[in-house]
Structures are given as structure tokens and as C-alpha cells.
Amino acid sequence: MGNTNSGTYVRVFANDSVWMEDSAVEQLQTTARNLSAIRAAVGLPDLHPGRGYPVGAAFFSINHFYPALVGGDIGCGMQLLETDLASHKTSPSKIEKALGNIDSPLPEHSITPATYGQLEQLAQQAGDTDLRYLLSMLGTIGGGNHFAEWQAVDAIYEEGVLNKKQLYLLVHSGSRGLGGAILRQHVERFGHAGLVADSTAAKDYLDQHDAAIGFAQLNRQHIASRMLRAVRATGRCMLDVTHNHVGVHQWQGQQGYLHRKGATPSDQGLVVIPGSRGDFSYVVRPVASRHDALDSLAHGAGRKWARSDCKGRLKPRFTLAALQQTRFGSTVVCADKDLIYEEAPQAYKEVDGVVQTLLDCGLLHLVARLKPVLTYKKGAMACC
DNA sequence: ATGTTC
């Protein structure tokens, strides 16, 4: 599916194996039309409506870029670690007990001087942000679709990448409040008009943007390491990939800016496409140089239901306890009752359809399929 | 997404 809209390349990667809302496609087209510097817009199979702009999409612009298109969670991404825990030696209940309440701010004595130095540098680069603010968020998962999930290997498609016997840890989180603060500050001055490339304002934003990317990555590292420590395991980072960002990019021989809004890069090696908390996650090898897809893949399953619809639809059919277990026998730890409904597997597309669509389009090769053992969404200290 | 938002 593709069309040319007053010179703008707009394409949606979809087929019968994936649900896609018309309103999301409309949002993609409207965005491509209304933001005048945009030359190309791509919807991935996880495309779904967002606040003004769709999620699961990539946009290429020339001479101008749009911070509002990236949104508030600058630097949000996935980190996958191979742990030294053997899958068969553990269980959801053992991990849950060992983790305890692990989503509160890190105790200050556990912050190393090196981390402290990194935070000081990031706080300054982000625009004189309060260091204490960053410290209070470091190592916390956040809300929405963020999680840290212990996973077992369910299937191997390409040998020699994942180890069938090991447990893996997937961390999905972002820059927490920092990216939101940077966006708010930007929108107060410039609204949604975007910035002229190479202007002072553009350089200032990109500097802050990069600080948010750095903080998000540091945050994922700390989420992972505190969890590994709690279960007395170690981990090896296999990939850490950001799906909300903007940066210089080439497209059709022209230099411009690529915005990814819930879109995983396909030009940075292996990536993971997670399903919902009651579904598989796929480690995949992107096919390189698919510029027709703006070098991007789906970043997950994508929402099927609006958050506001979930509780009404699920409460009559499921108890909270039922939603804290999944069809795999995995456990979902989440102290926020509303969030359990909003993040229920029923609220998401089936990841198999999303991945099948990308396979059919020739955008990736499968490496492995992971299934959840325990998902940590939000601890009691982190909410209420 | 969110030191949410009164």
C-alpha cells in the first residue's frame, strides 16, 4: 500500500495478518500533509493512533525537523540482556520473591561516583536540570507500556545468537520525566511548527534530546543491573535500541532528518520486537538498506484498544488476579490496578501478525522467539 | 509517556 500525496511519499506496511485502525492511517496521512517539511512517512504494522501523531511510524523531513513528532518520551527503547541464570532452575514465584519491591528510587549509597558523574553531565546537557530529579528517576521503570520482563527462549530460528538454556531480561523504558520536560519547554516556545535545521534553537534542542537519549539508556542499564543483583545473576547486554528519536539521515540522495515515533531502527543490527505481556517477543535480524521503510521496523505489537476503553471491557470478564497471570503461566507484577487493565494482552495486537507482516514484506529474518516468565510493570512504592 | 492534574 503506498501513495504519493503532493510529492510526499506515504506508505503503510500492512496486510491481512494484522489489525490496523483507519484512524491511525488517517493520522499518518494528515501528519505527512500538515507538517510541510516532511518528504516521507511510513507506517509500520504496529501503527496505532496517538495524541495528534500516530505511533509506529517514521518520518523524513528536509531543512526542518519536528520535536513534537518525537514526543515526550525521547530515548525510549529496548535493552535485551542474556543472563547467567538457567531457565529450568527458576520460576515466576522465585523471581518475584527475589525481586521484591524493586521499582522505587535507587538508594543514594548505591550510586557509584562514575554514575554520579554521568548524571551531572547529562543534567547540564539537558538544560540545567536538577540532578536530584534525575537521581529520583534513575533505575525506575515508569508507567504506560514500560516494563522489565524475564524471558525464556521458546524457539530458535538462527543458531548461534541466543542460548536456549539461558534466561533473558528485556527492559523497555525511556527518559522518564526528563524527555517530557524537554518537550514541554520546546512546545512552549515553538508549538508544533518545528525547527529550522542548523538554527541555534535546533542545536539546543538536539543537545537536550541527546541528553535524554543518554539518560534513557543509563536508566535501562540501572533497571537491569538492580534486577540482576536482586536475583544474584549477571547479564550481558545484547542490544540497546532507541525507538523514539530524531537525527540526521539520508533518503533518496538527500540529507534530512529521520523521526522515529515508536519505530525500531533497522540499520543498527539485531533488534527485539516485543508482544504484549501475555505474548511472545521476537529477536530479529533486520534486512539492511530498506529505505522504502525509512530504515525502520515495528517497535512492538501496537495497541488495539484505547487505554480509556480497557477497564470497561475487561472488568466484567476478568478478575485482577486473572490478569496477573498469562496464558504462558507467567506472572505480571503491577501495583497500579488501572494499569493492569490498560496493559492487558487483549488491549494489544497479536505480535505474530505484526512480525508476519514484516516477514512478508521482506524486512527481517527471525532469530529467536522468547516467552515471558515474569513481567515487572510497577512496584507498590512507585505508585499510589 | 508523565514529580500527570486542577
Side-chain angles (χ1 to χ4, degrees), chain A residues 354-376:
Chain A
V354 171
V355 170
Q356 188 60 52
T357 301
L358 295 167
L359 260 178
D360 292 347
C361 296
L363 291 170
L364 57 76
H365 300 295
L366 297 177
V367 173
R369 185 166 76 181
L370 298 158
K371 67 177 179 185
V373 175
L374 179 131
T375 308
Y376 208 104

Side-chain angles (χ1 to χ4, degrees), chain A residues 4-306:
Chain A
T4 301
N5 190 345
S6 56
T8 304
Y9 168 86
V10 179
R11 181 158 173 195
V12 178
F13 288 85
N15 65 23
D16 290 345
S17 56
V18 69
W19 158 268
M20 195 170 285
E21 229 172 303
D22 290 344
S23 63
V25 178
E26 281 164 25
Q27 245 184 2
L28 185 78
Q29 289 165 333
T30 304
T31 303
R33 192 169 52 241
N34 290 355
L35 303 184
S36 59
I38 288 180
R39 293 289 171 271
V42 162
L44 287 313
D46 58 335
L47 187 75
H48 61 276
R51 305 213 69 168
Y53 308 120
V55 182
F59 303 88
F60 179 80
S61 63
I62 287 177
N63 297 329
H64 208 93
F65 66 88
Y66 301 96
L69 198 45
V70 176
D73 198 4
I74 304 160
C76 186
M78 304 280 174
Q79 179 170 145
L80 182 67
L81 304 100
E82 182 179 278
T83 81
D84 63 349
L85 277 184
S87 299
H88 76 275
K89 282 191 179 168
T90 190
S91 70
S93 60
K94 272 188 193 169
I95 298 173
E96 184 174 1
K97 199 175 162 199
L99 290 179
N101 213 331
I102 202 168
D103 197 26
S104 45
L106 286 163
E108 199 136 343
H109 62 78
S110 74
I111 309 285
T112 65
T115 298
Y116 202 86
Q118 279 175 295
L119 284 178
E120 275 181 325
Q121 196 273 324
L122 289 169
Q124 203 224 340
Q125 187 185 346
D128 262 337
T129 302
D130 185 359
L131 180 65
R132 304 211 59 83
Y133 178 37
L134 295 191
L135 271 170
S136 73
M137 296 186 295
L138 187 71
T140 62
I141 297 166
N145 57 1
H146 291 170
F147 62 84
E149 187 167 275
W150 297 81
Q151 302 176 329
V153 177
D154 186 69
I156 299 269
Y157 308 102
E158 180 187 319
E159 294 295 335
V161 183
L162 269 70
N163 188 333
K164 183 114 182 108
K165 292 181 177 166
Q166 300 310 120
L167 208 62
Y168 288 77
L169 177 59
L170 176 63
V171 178
H172 177 206
S173 189
S175 54
R176 310 287 281 97
L178 178 61
I182 292 166
L183 176 68
R184 205 174 314 121
Q185 196 183 319
H186 167 81
V187 170
E188 273 169 19
R189 282 186 68 191
F190 300 98
H192 287 235
L195 297 169
V196 177
D198 301 323
S199 62
T200 305
K203 287 189 182 116
D204 289 348
Y205 169 79
L206 289 174
D207 221 25
Q208 294 185 302
H209 163 280
D210 292 349
I213 300 254
F215 180 67
Q217 192 177 353
L218 196 65
N219 191 36
R220 288 189 289 274
Q221 272 170 26
H222 281 262
I223 292 165
S225 58
R226 76 190 301 191
M227 288 200 159
L228 288 163
R229 205 176 313 124
V231 303
R232 294 192 186 85
T234 59
R236 174 180 68 88
C237 179
M238 295 186 59
L239 60 93
D240 186 281
V241 180
T242 296
H243 52 233
N244 284 350
H245 58 193
V246 59
V248 172
H249 200 81
Q250 306 283 332
W251 189 71
Q252 292 190 342
Q254 286 189 289
Q255 184 165 294
Y257 287 85
L258 181 62
H259 311 66
R260 291 195 179 97
K261 172 70 172 172
T264 294
S266 64
D267 55 1
Q268 294 172 24
L270 288 182
V271 299
V272 58
I273 302 177
S276 71
R277 305 319 3 110
D279 207 344
F280 296 112
S281 292
Y282 288 87
V283 178
V284 308
R285 188 175 292 287
V287 171
S289 303
R290 284 297 298 266
H291 310 312
D292 58 328
L294 288 177
D295 296 298
S296 299
L297 294 174
H299 81 311
R303 291 199 77 82
K304 192 167 68 180
W305 296 351

